Amino acid sequence: SQQGEEDPQALSIQEGENATMNCSYKTSINNLQWYRQNSGRGLVHLILIRSNEREKHSGRLRVTLDTSKKSSSLLITASRAADTASYFCATDTGGYNKLIFGAGTRLAVHP
Amino acid sequence: GAVVSQHPSWVICKSGTSVKIECRSLDFQATTMFWYRQFPKQSLMLMATSNEGSKATYEQGVEKDKFLINHASLTLSTLTVTSAHPEDSSFYICSAGDKSYEQYFGPGTRLTVT
């Protein structure tokens, strides 16, 4: 079963613009992770944020976590055409590090 | 970084036959591996948790007799789709975890049942 929802389902922007994707989940978590998936390919791990963290940066990525609202956001700054992909959040609720994925956001960055 | 491989990368089989997909952790030992299924334009749905040396734990709604999982060693887990039907056509992805929180994902196997 899926843990939560992501919005928007699809996002289309121009190169250079920022892209923000949101993820909501239902149960308490140990950590939340963001992944990228190019069409028909495997997953690429982007960033992990622990439940006691509120914000984390990695290059052009910024992730926030609000455990009181059970939500997280992923911001990609200065987007590039190569950022075109699907982005998924995944929650680790504890126990064997099992991940439950959100529905995903399909991002299209136009040159 | 840790690498997980899957074999085959794609497979076409006839309805009623069985297909085995392998998932290997190449440079680390994985006591736990996970199997996901992904339909086109949808998210990954966890099918089962595979533990080395013990029976797999299946998610609700996943038929354990249809999707046989064997975790024979710390570096290999297999998923066998038995008596495959066209509705089993999907992208199957495995992941493996080491002692950290991070999961390492395989490149996926695309199964097409004709």
Side-chain angles (χ1 to χ4, degrees):
Chain A
S1 60
Q2 286 181 317
Q3 166 73 293
E5 300 297 322
E6 287 182 62
D7 76 270
Q9 291 185 342
L11 181 61
S12 181
I13 60 175
Q14 297 295 126
E15 255 189 337
E17 295 180 341
N18 296 341
T20 299
M21 289 159 268
N22 302 296
C23 165
S24 62
Y25 56 92
K26 300 174 183 175
T27 64
S28 60
I29 62 172
N30 286 341
N31 64 72
L32 185 145
Q33 303 178 35
W34 284 90
Y35 289 84
R36 183 183 75 205
Q37 183 182 37
N38 289 81
S39 181
R41 307 290 293 275
L43 294 174
V44 175
H45 182 263
L46 296 177
I47 198 165
L48 179 154
I49 186 166
R50 303 186 195 284
S51 60
N52 61 354
E53 297 176 311
R54 292 296 168 259
E55 187 171 314
K56 207 162 183 180
H57 297 256
S58 176
R60 293 184 295 114
L61 307 180
R62 172 177 168 254
V63 168
T64 63
L65 178 65
D66 187 335
T67 52
S68 66
K69 295 181 179 178
K70 290 186 169 59
S71 68
S72 174
S73 68
L74 170 67
L75 168 67
I76 303 174
T77 60
S79 64
R80 305 165 182 168
D83 295 328
T84 295
S86 290
Y87 292 82
F88 297 94
C89 68
T91 52
D92 178 351
T93 58
Y96 296 114
N97 295 340
K98 184 169 75 172
L99 294 178
I100 304 297
F101 282 79
T105 295
R106 293 191 306 279
L107 173 66
V109 182
H110 302 284
Chain B
V3 178
V4 175
S5 70
Q6 279 185 243
H7 178 81
S9 57
W10 59 271
V11 58
I12 302 173
C13 71
K14 291 186 177 181
S15 187
T17 61
S18 296
V19 175
K20 180 184 285 188
I21 302 170
E22 293 184 348
C23 176
R24 293 181 184 272
S25 57
L26 298 185
D27 49 5
F28 67 100
Q29 294 185 332
T31 54
T32 304
M33 290 183 173
F34 303 91
W35 287 96
Y36 296 85
R37 180 169 54 183
Q38 185 180 33
F39 292 108
K41 296 187 177 180
Q42 294 188 23
S43 185
L44 282 75
M45 298 295 292
L46 180 64
M47 299 175 66
T49 302
S50 168
N51 299 300
E52 187 266 337
S54 64
K55 291 183 179 180
T57 303
Y58 291 82
E59 295 298 303
Q60 191 173 7
V62 178
E63 300 174 58
K64 62 180 181 180
D65 294 330
K66 180 169 183 62
F67 299 99
L68 301 180
I69 292 172
N70 185 359
H71 196 151
S73 74
L74 287 172
T75 59
L76 174 64
S77 176
T78 60
L79 167 68
T80 301
V81 183
T82 63
S83 187
H85 291 284
E87 57 265 32
D88 298 322
S89 298
S90 188
F91 195 51
Y92 291 87
I93 304 175
C94 73
S95 71
D98 59 10
K99 294 181 180 180
S100 72
Y101 286 112
E102 189 167 344
Q103 290 286 318
Y104 303 99
F105 284 81
T109 296
R110 185 161 303 283
L111 170 64
T112 302
V113 184
T114 61

